[in-house]
Amino acid sequence: MLGDRLSNEDFFTQLSKLLDSRREEEHGSIFLTQKRLATTAPTFKQQQPIDTLTDLHPSDPLPILIRATNGKSKAGRSGKVKLSTVVEPDSLEEFFGRYAEVCKAGMGALKKRDRSGRKKAKAKKRKAGGEGEKKG
């Protein structure tokens, strides 16, 4: 899996392309995830008591794994795009600044949610219920 990870610059380029491809389609999803990347697997010994919360305060900052996918299901797996990159702790602020720019640019053409039906339903409910709904 280490070979599948992109450099940060390549990740931004591919993420922009992925967001643009979704903009051209009528619908679709893009999933963005992030998590800490443990560099070593935990080793458990029977003699030592296991402290389950030791990883909450690591001695050194851990890198972050960032993933993006277009969320294609099993039926459309041939078109599935999976991107991932690792961000080192010393470049987190710079990375997330650029990450926010790319995401905002890609989401600019998204359609606003149509909530007109929701407002009409609330208005009907109020008329049908009358003033008796308010509790004071």
Side-chain angles (χ1 to χ4, degrees), residues 77-121:
R77 190 149 302 196
S78 63
K80 187 166 187 167
V81 177
K82 294 165 80 174
L83 309 172
S84 64
T85 189
V86 175
V87 184
E88 295 301 322
D90 56 342
S91 61
L92 276 175
E93 190 172 329
E94 167 186 325
F95 177 86
F96 279 113
R98 177 98 188 272
Y99 186 62
E101 289 174 15
V102 170
C103 289
K104 284 179 189 176
M107 294 179 196
L110 293 178
K111 291 188 236 178
K112 299 279 185 182
R113 282 177 72 179
D114 182 20
R115 297 184 178 194
S116 61
R118 188 173 163 192
K119 289 179 183 178
K120 289 177 186 175

Side-chain angles (χ1 to χ4, degrees), residues 11-105:
F11 178 80
F12 289 130
T13 304
Q14 295 297 321
L15 181 59
S16 296
K17 288 179 184 177
L18 183 61
L19 290 168
D20 288 342
S21 70
R22 283 293 165 197
R23 186 180 303 154
E24 295 167 0
E25 296 179 16
E26 288 296 318
H27 58 81
S29 299
I30 294 179
F31 297 94
L32 303 170
T33 58
Q34 60 188 22
K35 69 177 192 175
R36 294 187 312 174
L37 182 64
T39 54
T40 59
T43 57
F44 296 103
K45 295 183 179 178
Q46 294 293 339
Q47 293 82 16
Q48 296 178 348
I50 298 172
D51 184 9
T52 58
L53 302 176
T54 56
D55 65 339
L56 290 180
H57 304 290
S59 58
D60 296 326
L62 296 174
I64 305 291
L65 177 65
I66 308 288
R67 292 184 180 141
T69 181
N70 61 353
K72 293 280 186 184
S73 64
K74 289 182 182 178
R77 190 149 302 196
S78 63
K80 187 166 187 167
V81 177
K82 294 165 80 174
L83 309 172
S84 64
T85 189
V86 175
V87 184
E88 295 301 322
D90 56 342
S91 61
L92 276 175
E93 190 172 329
E94 167 186 325
F95 177 86
F96 279 113
R98 177 98 188 272
Y99 186 62
E101 289 174 15
V102 170
C103 289
K104 284 179 189 176

